[in-house]
Amino acid sequence: MRGSMSFRYEAEGELWAYAGPGGWHFITLPIEVAEGIRTVAGPLAPFGSLRVIARIGDVSWKTSLFKDSKSRSFLLPVKAEVRRRAGVSAGERTAYSVEIDA
């Protein structure tokens, strides 16, 4: 049986609030990070999603990246509890990482 490999990507991006209902907040991954993820991730799940472990500072959480055709990248959702614990809010740039198993 072949073991899985873990790939970790670190970047910095602006946290932004979705204008629609729900109060969703996201970070759009840089194109070069998205291209690296596409190279190792294999087929995406429905809706272009990919399970990851994300981290901002000392706060980590399990979530999914979502394919974004507008930016040709992926969106990292950052839920309210994570924003509160990490001390970040919309409009701020923050360092983060995402880790995938391939």
Side-chain angles (χ1 to χ4, degrees):
M1 179 185 274
R2 193 177 132 208
S4 67
M5 292 185 72
S6 178
F7 294 90
R8 180 178 175 159
Y9 297 88
E10 297 182 1
E12 186 176 296
E14 182 177 335
L15 181 66
W16 56 274
Y18 175 65
W24 290 94
H25 286 65
F26 299 95
I27 297 173
T28 304
L29 276 61
I31 292 292
E32 59 274 8
V33 171
E35 289 172 353
I37 290 172
R38 281 188 199 94
T39 301
V40 300
L44 299 176
F47 306 107
S49 65
L50 176 65
R51 298 288 301 159
V52 298
I53 298 173
R55 177 179 293 276
I56 295 176
D58 293 333
V59 182
S60 65
W61 72 104
K62 292 182 180 181
T63 188
S64 292
L65 297 177
F66 295 94
K67 185 176 169 183
D68 180 42
S69 57
K70 181 179 176 183
S71 67
R72 297 184 3 249
S73 187
F74 289 98
L75 302 179
L76 170 64
V78 184
K79 58 187 178 179
E81 176 69 11
V82 170
R83 296 191 311 270
R84 183 188 64 75
R85 290 179 52 213
V88 296
S89 58
E92 294 181 357
R93 288 190 65 79
T94 186
Y96 63 92
S97 67
V98 293
E99 185 175 337
I100 62 171
D101 286 326

